Amino acid sequence: MENVFKYYEFSDFFIDKSEAFSGNEISYTELNETHFLIFEKENSTYNLYVSRFKHKKEIGINSPEIVELLVKNYNKSIPAHRLMIKQYLH
């Protein structure tokens, strides 16, 4: 998974204080000024979301305006999971 995070320039993981992601650790990458892909680390698995915030400084602090689960239990070896990121970032 480290390769995925580095390749798509996800932030370092940090604790979600907004409770939007159950207080788990999250990491994000920008799609544009207000839309972001977010990985939530839930125990040893990762869930991928697309979300909208007024500003990236709100991530992990305030609840997102919009959040949609794209992939539960992300697995980089599953082509459909990899395509989910690519459709947003390419």
Side-chain angles (χ1 to χ4, degrees):
M1 284 299 295
E2 286 299 317
N3 291 339
V4 172
F5 303 139
K6 287 179 185 176
Y7 183 80
Y8 292 109
E9 300 179 349
F10 277 83
S11 69
D12 291 335
F13 277 87
F14 58 96
I15 299 292
D16 167 47
K17 295 177 182 167
S18 72
E19 293 299 317
F21 302 97
S22 304
N24 290 319
E25 289 185 78
I26 58 173
S27 173
Y28 70 91
T29 192
E30 289 184 52
L31 301 174
N32 59 41
E33 287 183 12
T34 59
H35 291 83
F36 305 87
L37 286 181
I38 295 180
F39 268 114
E40 170 195 28
K41 185 176 181 181
E42 187 175 30
N43 300 316
S44 61
T45 64
Y46 296 92
N47 301 317
L48 180 65
Y49 299 84
V50 64
S51 61
R52 178 181 173 158
F53 291 87
K54 290 179 183 162
H55 192 276
K56 72 179 175 183
K57 291 179 182 179
E58 294 185 358
I59 298 172
I61 296 170
N62 298 330
S63 292
E65 295 175 348
I66 299 169
V67 63
E68 179 183 346
L69 177 63
L70 300 176
V71 179
K72 185 158 181 72
N73 196 10
Y74 185 92
N75 184 332
K76 68 179 182 179
S77 65
I78 298 174
H81 290 190
R82 290 193 311 271
L83 287 174
M84 190 59 70
I85 289 180
K86 287 182 182 181
Q87 83 176 20
Y88 283 92
L89 291 172
H90 289 274

